[in-house]
Amino acid sequence: MFEAKTYTERRRKLKESVSEGIILILGNVDSPMNYPANTFHFRQDSSFLYFFGLDMQQLAGVIDVDTGEEILFGNDVDIEDIIWMGPQVPFKDNAAKVGIQQSFPFNKLFETISEAIKKDRKVHFLPPYRAENKLLLQELLGISANKQAEYASLELIKAIVNLRSIKEACEIDELVKAANAGYEMHVTAMKMAQPGVWEQKIAGTIEGISIAHGSVPSFPIILSQNGETLHNHDHSNILEEGRLMLVDAGAETTMRYASDFTRTSPVGGKFTQKQREIYEIVLAANNRATELSKPGLTYLSVHLEAAKVIAGGLKDLGLMKGDVDAAVKAGAHALFFPHGLGHMMGLDVHDMEDLGQIHVGYDDETRPVDQFGTAYLRLGRKLQKGFVITNEPGIYFIPALIDKWKAEKINTDFINFDKVEEYRNFGGIRLEDDLLITDNGCEILGKRIPITPDEVETTMQNA
Ligand code: GLY
Ligand code: MN
Ligand code: MN
């Protein structure tokens, strides 16, 4: 964990930005896979980690905005736990490591919350995403699980989004570590991408690399020669010569900071001319987004600029036609690029998504766009120094989407459907880097994973 003062300072800022009442932040608990004692790997709640730092189960933090008190609730282990789990640090000592002097047994939380409710005090809580915490909140607050998101505190959500959006120097160090693990994962995957290799073997190998770096992948690995399926978790295919392997994967550090990269490699180590041409367009869109990203510019505008690079490149190849700006305005590029350019990243790979994308990615000034493709953009608002974001344009040939647009005559002014047919079995290409927004621009986090077609081929041929 970071030094105690990091957490103390974060809580101080949180208290300053919430007007009154008490703030309740729940940690997560172990969750069973197939019987109670066989649990999924434990993942602490990210806001709990941000303010209270302790990566262990069944804890809750309460911050009293009016009195300034900060309390952690949790239990000390007993002798039976010590026999099975080994010696444990006393709970109050763990609390002290994150600057908390008051700690109580977990069950005292019920009394604390019920007293606050009796006194008609505001209890600020976050929208829960785990069944266990929905049940707990139901007991603590008497709000049924399906109503809790509605009653979650908007004031608290906004205060947390403001704080967590701007990464501190100690957080950037962690994000660079996550990027370094991601580098090794991706270079290893590239080198393994040979005909006859089972996708699962590569996915398992790079998952192992993330674990060897101390933690786990930051999300389930996406790896497939069917890269046109955006989040393809099926790794059952045997790689074939002439196909493209898309790998979207990252690592989480021991401190739970994430990386998230995508690379697309030609199975066997050599791009065909057709692959190289599409690849160069995606790379140009990625480079353009990096070149543009800086404080004060909306990521929505960067997304649209990347879309123009894609539409322009596809026009040059004869797949699109007409005026590029008009094509992007009409959303015609989304046949090939049907997702957003990127998202915030930090303690979560899609940072703070549990708090509500609308609060993380948009504000009063920049509102979401309700158009197929751009509607999936998770981050649209103005960039600020200290944001860490992803830059992940792509071009995909999704047969079902092509058929739908063709049948429904969607954007026929901008799409050459006959030419598109020639790419029906192409697959997909996505290239994703992680960016830190700086004073005047941005920098790529970590050493950039081989990305030009020549760099990728050289890496693969040196396997
Ligand atoms: N992890 C999927 C993505 O790139 O957002
Ligand atoms: Mn990704
Ligand atoms: Mn991403």
Side-chain angles (χ1 to χ4, degrees), residues 219 222 231 247-250 259-262 343 349-350 390 392 430 432:
F219 59 96
I222 296 164
H231 280 181
V247 181
D248 183 349
S259 60
D260 180 12
F261 299 110
T262 309
H343 48 85
V349 67
H350 288 178
T390 66
E392 49 181 305
R430 177 163 66 252
E432 178 175 22

Side-chain angles (χ1 to χ4, degrees), residues 1-11 49-54 94-100 168 170-171 174 255:
M1 67 187 65
F2 299 126
E3 289 173 21
K5 68 170 193 267
T6 300
Y7 301 102
T8 311
E9 185 59 13
R10 290 171 178 178
R11 292 192 299 266
L49 276 178
Y50 187 82
F51 293 106
F52 295 98
L54 298 178
N94 274 328
K97 287 184 200 161
V98 292
I100 299 270
E168 300 157 0
C170 59
E171 296 186 283
E174 281 297 310
M255 297 275 297

Side-chain angles (χ1 to χ4, degrees), residues 14 80 137 190 249 254 257 277-278 317 355 415:
L14 184 63
E80 288 209 22
L137 280 177
M190 270 176 203
T254 49
Y257 284 85
E277 285 167 357
I278 298 289
L317 290 180
L355 304 183
I415 313 276

Side-chain angles (χ1 to χ4, degrees), residues 7 43-55 256:
Y7 301 102
R43 178 55 158 85
Q44 184 59 290
D45 175 77
S46 297
S47 289
F48 186 87
L49 276 178
Y50 187 82
F51 293 106
F52 295 98
L54 298 178
D55 194 358
R256 307 296 186 185

Side-chain angles (χ1 to χ4, degrees), residues 60-194:
V62 164
I63 301 172
D64 190 319
V65 178
D66 305 317
T67 65
E69 268 182 311
E70 301 172 337
I71 311 170
L72 264 171
F73 296 85
N75 296 324
D76 269 314
V77 297
D78 59 22
I79 184 64
E80 288 209 22
D81 294 316
I82 291 170
I83 291 166
W84 290 93
M85 290 154 39
Q88 303 291 316
V89 176
F91 177 46
K92 70 169 177 22
D93 294 353
N94 274 328
K97 287 184 200 161
V98 292
I100 299 270
Q101 308 314 328
Q102 282 199 79
S103 57
F104 294 116
F106 194 83
N107 274 341
K108 179 129 167 70
L109 179 64
F110 289 88
E111 204 179 304
T112 303
I113 298 296
S114 116
E115 267 172 28
I117 292 172
K118 267 189 220 138
K119 290 185 188 147
D120 219 17
R121 299 187 67 201
K122 170 86 182 159
V123 180
H124 299 269
F125 62 94
L126 298 173
Y129 52 88
R130 292 245 187 143
E132 293 90 343
N133 277 344
K134 290 183 185 182
L135 287 173
L136 176 60
L137 280 177
Q138 202 162 288
E139 273 189 75
L140 285 169
L141 305 168
I143 302 173
S144 66
N146 60 0
K147 291 270 181 213
Q148 288 164 3
E150 201 179 308
Y151 285 95
S153 166
L154 191 56
E155 191 183 10
L156 178 62
I157 290 170
K158 288 188 170 171
I160 293 182
V161 168
N162 277 342
L163 287 171
R164 286 181 54 189
S165 293
I166 310 293
K167 270 60 186 181
E168 300 157 0
C170 59
E171 296 186 283
I172 292 162
D173 290 347
E174 281 297 310
L175 288 158
V176 169
K177 282 186 211 160
N180 292 342
Y183 182 98
E184 200 179 319
M185 291 163 78
H186 279 273
V187 167
T188 302
M190 270 176 203
K191 291 183 174 176
M192 289 179 77
Q194 293 301 320

